[in-house]
Amino acid sequence: MPHEFCPSIPDLETISIPTARISTSPLRATSRVEAFLRDADYDGPRLVVDLDVVRQRYSAYVHAMPGTRIYYAVKANPAPEVLQILADLGSCFDTASIPEIEAVLALGVAPDRISFGNTIKKEVDISRAHAMGVRLFAFDSDAELEKIVRSAPGAQVFCRVRCDGTGADWPLSRKFGCSTRTAVELLLEAHRKGLDVQGVSFHVGSQQRRAEAWDVALATVADVYRTLCERGLKMPVINMGGGFPAAQYREEVPPIDDYAASIDHALRRHFDWTLPEAIIEPGRGLVADAGVIEAEVVLIARKDQSGPRWVYLDIGRFGGLAETEDEAIRYVIRTPKDGDDLAPAILAGPTCDSIDVLYEKEPYWLPVSLEIGDRVRIEAAGAYTASYSSVGFNGFAPLQSYFV
Ligand SMILES: *Cc1c(COP(=O)(O)O)cnc(C)c1O
């Protein structure tokens, strides 16, 4: 069978282990962010994003993984300022909805740089995206595949396989992806129905702290490529998703070069017979470290003499810190009293909802001298904060974003 849609496969040598180590060393609040926070009056919690850091992070990824196409996952931070920087640098974009597609198109980005990677789409939206020129879609079930066949005939497609999310602080496991066995059947079906089969996609879980996670996934995914090739369908691309970590949460993570090296090694080992073109979809890894949230201590209280110290901020679960759900993402929080003696505290948000607690299972150590009215800095807050904040639950304004 002819492989008519198989583009030139990149030479093994073009995906090489980088020799120069790219620094992802902590930048903390950059001087530009500091200057902004100093000069602009405090008017409630605010996220300040240093676009230079986004630029540096993107370049670091390009250098670490040459030959790999980058689709920025828009949901991590969909601000037009962020999208514009990445568009100018040549990034492609992974989107999940028509408004996200429109936001990217509005910057003048061509639709062939956009993927509609959500596996849960209304058929009418598939049809609209297709009409807008988007050609790349993902599915992980036969019902979704049928929608694409009907409403985006001839489109390029990925089938997403399930990953267990081991090693990730924010797993994306059960809800997404099918087994590799199902993927083989669905991809053959997609080909039979006239779709342009690109390959398999997967996501190893967000804030993935194990650089080897991709190796594990690629080992199983390679079997799908081999099986399909044996059945006459050679798939040209592999989509390795997001999961690349923020460097500045509380737990240390390996540098991006370790991820790049591990992925490069895995690709060469598991695809020693044919190397597909590689795609990644980083979200958090590109924008998290670029942002700092400034917030204020509203109340410090001990309800009983021997009880725990509660520290309430003017930002919580609904104001942008949704990823503290189950204490999954653990932010570094700086206070003006850092250096003083520390004692544990339960950290909570300001709303009248008892789930609006940030850290309790593992209390947060904060200076004993911390006072009502002190401003705190929540670091590495550029991803999944502003885009997660409620429109105004309980009358608290959505998180304001500023860009420097
Ligand atoms: C959210 C998402 C990403 C980005 O994940 P990060 O962990 O932020 O890098 C990438 N791909 C898909 C399909 C996603 O849904």
Side-chain angles (χ1 to χ4, degrees):
M1 176 176 296
H3 303 136
E4 67 280 5
F5 45 74
C6 187
S8 64
I9 306 284
D11 186 48
L12 264 177
E13 300 316 312
T14 64
I15 302 185
S16 60
I17 298 171
T19 45
R21 291 188 76 82
I22 309 299
S23 169
T24 49
S25 64
L27 293 151
R28 303 300 170 195
T30 63
S31 54
R32 291 141 51 87
V33 171
E34 288 295 348
F36 176 89
L37 291 173
R38 196 178 54 236
D39 297 341
D41 286 342
Y42 188 77
D43 185 28
R46 48 191 181 172
L47 167 67
V48 188
V49 175
D50 187 334
L51 295 171
D52 259 357
V53 177
V54 177
R55 209 177 274 120
Q56 287 164 21
R57 240 0 99 85
Y58 183 86
S59 304
Y61 277 64
V62 168
H63 282 109
M65 291 178 253
T68 300
R69 244 190 305 159
I70 299 179
Y71 283 73
Y72 169 62
V74 170
K75 73 179 184 292
N77 191 323
E81 290 85 349
V82 170
L83 300 180
Q84 185 72 65
I85 289 283
L86 293 170
D88 293 346
L89 291 168
S91 185
C92 299
F93 296 88
D94 181 56
T95 62
S97 65
I98 295 294
E100 282 190 352
I101 292 170
E102 286 172 339
V104 175
L105 289 175
L107 305 169
V109 172
D112 64 2
R113 284 165 66 190
I114 298 175
S115 66
F116 201 171
N118 192 348
T119 52
I120 306 152
K121 302 176 285 301
K122 287 189 180 173
E123 189 161 344
V124 61
D125 290 345
I126 294 172
S127 176
R128 283 178 69 192
H130 193 248
M132 289 174 188
V134 175
R135 288 292 169 266
L136 190 52
F137 297 81
F139 64 85
D140 60 6
S141 65
D142 52 357
E144 188 75 11
L145 171 58
E146 288 308 317
K147 290 188 215 168
I148 298 171
V149 168
R150 281 193 299 266
S151 295
Q156 303 178 323
V157 286
F158 283 107
C159 180
R160 180 161 170 180
V161 302
R162 193 160 50 232
C163 284
D164 67 5
T166 305
D169 286 338
W170 194 259
L172 297 166
S173 42
R174 265 178 45 257
K175 182 171 169 183
F176 305 105
C178 59
S179 69
T180 49
R181 251 191 35 220
T182 303
V184 167
E185 296 312 316
L186 292 179
L187 287 161
L188 287 169
E189 180 72 5
H191 178 60
R192 276 196 297 272
K193 299 243 163 101
L195 294 176
D196 183 355
V197 169
Q198 295 293 294
V200 169
S201 62
F202 60 87
H203 195 302
V204 294
S206 201
Q207 189 64 15
Q208 175 53 262
R209 286 193 268 142
R210 289 165 61 238
E212 323 79 65
W214 281 263
D215 182 286
V216 176
L218 286 167
T220 37
V221 163
D223 286 340
V224 179
Y225 283 74
R226 196 175 284 112
T227 304
L228 284 184
C229 196
E230 283 162 9
R231 299 176 60 174
L233 181 58
K234 186 161 178 176
M235 301 194 291
V237 187
I238 183 151
N239 181 341
M240 302 183 289
F244 303 94
Q248 296 169 31
Y249 296 148
R250 288 173 69 188
E251 285 79 14
E252 281 219 21
V253 294
I256 184 63
D257 307 288
D258 289 14
Y259 289 79
S262 178
I263 288 172
D264 180 71
H265 187 70
L267 281 172
R268 287 163 185 272
R269 195 148 55 100
H270 304 304
F271 290 87
D272 53 351
W273 48 288
T274 174
L275 197 61
E277 186 194 352
I279 284 180
I280 56 169
E281 301 174 331
R284 188 187 305 277
L286 290 182
V287 294
D289 293 324
V292 173
I293 288 174
E294 187 182 43
E296 189 175 291
V297 177
V298 179
L299 177 67
I300 301 177
R302 259 180 223 283
K303 312 294 175 61
D304 304 293
Q305 241 175 11
S306 60
R309 177 173 61 144
W310 284 78
V311 172
Y312 302 91
L313 303 177
D314 61 356
I315 186 171
R317 281 278 187 90
F318 304 101
L321 303 180
E323 289 196 316
T324 56
E325 163 80 33
D326 206 25
E327 309 190 17
I329 297 297
R330 289 171 290 275
Y331 296 101
V332 171
I333 300 178
R334 307 232 173 245
T335 78
K337 310 286 167 56
D338 286 357
D340 292 359
D341 289 345
L342 300 174
I346 300 172
L347 201 60
T351 65
C352 300
D353 187 319
S354 58
I355 74 147
D356 191 8
V357 173
L358 306 177
Y359 303 110
E360 178 176 20
K361 277 193 316 199
E362 206 180 314
Y364 209 99
W365 288 69
L366 289 168
V368 290
S369 53
L370 191 69
E371 289 178 282
I372 292 171
D374 282 344
R375 301 271 172 70
V376 302
R377 299 270 179 84
I378 301 166
E379 299 196 324
Y384 303 114
T385 50
S387 56
Y388 257 146
S389 98
S390 81
V391 292
F393 173 57
N394 220 180
F396 292 90
L399 181 61
Q400 298 301 305
S401 293
Y402 301 90
F403 302 88
V404 297

